[in-house]
Amino acid sequence: MREKKLILVTGGARSGKSSFAERLAKEAQKPVTYIATCQPLDEEMAFRIQEHRKRRPKNWKTVEEPFNPTDIIAKEGKSDGVILLDCLALLVSNLLLREKDPNDPKSFSRVIEEIENLAITCRSVKGEVIVVTNEVGMGVVPEYPLGRTYRDLLGKANQIMALYSDSVYLLVCGIPVDVKQLNRVLEKGVYDLQ
């Protein structure tokens, strides 16, 4: 079996996703390129970006790319390093809000096409790729059409990325569970997780 080259890390808000993904990147003991998709559109987001920057080791290369991380991954993935994309949920939001009419089904399709291309690129590069995302479909149905469109779009994007991933970690209260491995074990009818 091939090494884990594409890892998806998901969970709810404040579940420990980013910290866990950063730990995985550090443990690889290879050069790390951190791709940030967050835009500092308000004071709160600017503060969150600063907090994330403080946690990262100084020797990590940081690239801020809110719309097209695929090209960065294709370039940086030529080496045997680690790429950490944080996060897919913000990328989907950025892409959706860039559309003229975010609620148009064609907008949905264009964003999904970009996410599929991202997943294929992540899977094809030489280096290891870790992608952080959010689970947003476990709560209340959003009141507004744009919120429902975003929830549906991110759910589909997460499914695409999970399909291409070697491991999918779900973080609950800071505890990671590799749900893809668990699924494989349960499909075989083997219950010993060792």
Side-chain angles (χ1 to χ4, degrees):
M1 186 173 152
R2 71 185 224 132
E3 285 184 47
K4 293 179 181 178
K5 302 254 305 174
L6 177 53
I7 298 170
L8 182 63
V9 178
T10 189
R14 316 312 308 155
S15 63
K17 304 177 301 290
S18 293
S19 296
F20 177 71
E22 290 164 9
R23 189 175 87 214
L24 289 177
K26 286 177 194 171
E27 288 173 356
Q29 297 183 346
K30 295 178 180 179
V32 176
T33 300
Y34 183 100
I35 303 174
T37 60
C38 185
Q39 300 178 81
L41 300 176
D42 59 32
E43 285 185 33
E44 179 192 357
M45 290 311 289
F47 175 77
R48 288 176 183 265
I49 290 169
Q50 285 300 88
E51 291 301 303
H52 273 248
R53 285 180 182 153
K54 287 179 191 174
R55 280 200 324 245
R56 292 195 295 267
K58 301 286 185 226
N59 63 333
W60 286 13
K61 177 180 180 179
T62 298
V63 179
E64 295 180 0
E65 180 47 66
F67 298 104
N68 190 12
T70 304
D71 288 347
I72 307 296
I73 291 169
K75 179 184 170 201
E76 296 293 328
K78 291 177 183 175
S79 67
D80 191 31
V82 176
I83 299 167
L84 198 166
L85 173 65
D86 196 354
C87 83
L88 184 66
L90 285 172
L91 173 63
V92 167
S93 174
N94 296 342
L95 294 172
L96 182 62
L97 294 177
R98 185 174 68 175
E99 292 287 328
K100 185 175 182 180
D101 179 3
N103 288 314
D104 183 344
K106 290 178 184 175
S107 297
F108 191 102
S109 296
R110 279 191 292 272
V111 174
I112 287 301
E113 187 177 313
E114 289 196 45
I115 297 304
E116 183 123 33
N117 187 35
L118 172 66
I120 290 167
T121 301
C122 288
R123 185 75 183 179
S124 68
V125 297
K126 181 179 180 183
E128 181 179 338
V129 181
I130 303 167
V131 177
V132 178
T133 192
N134 288 304
E135 285 298 324
V136 296
M138 295 178 162
V140 177
V141 173
E143 184 176 351
Y144 299 100
L146 182 57
R148 291 189 295 274
T149 296
Y150 173 70
R151 177 210 51 198
D152 295 349
L153 187 55
L154 182 57
K156 181 67 175 170
N158 286 345
Q159 290 177 48
I160 290 167
M161 196 60 69
L163 179 67
Y164 284 90
S165 296
D166 297 297
S167 290
V168 177
Y169 288 98
L170 171 65
L171 272 283
V172 179
C173 301
I175 301 169
V177 177
D178 187 341
V179 293
K180 201 157 190 177
Q181 176 190 5
L182 182 60
N183 184 60
R184 285 191 292 264
V185 168
L186 293 176
E187 282 179 347
K188 289 180 183 177
V190 178
Y191 298 98
D192 179 11
L193 297 180
Q194 298 297 324

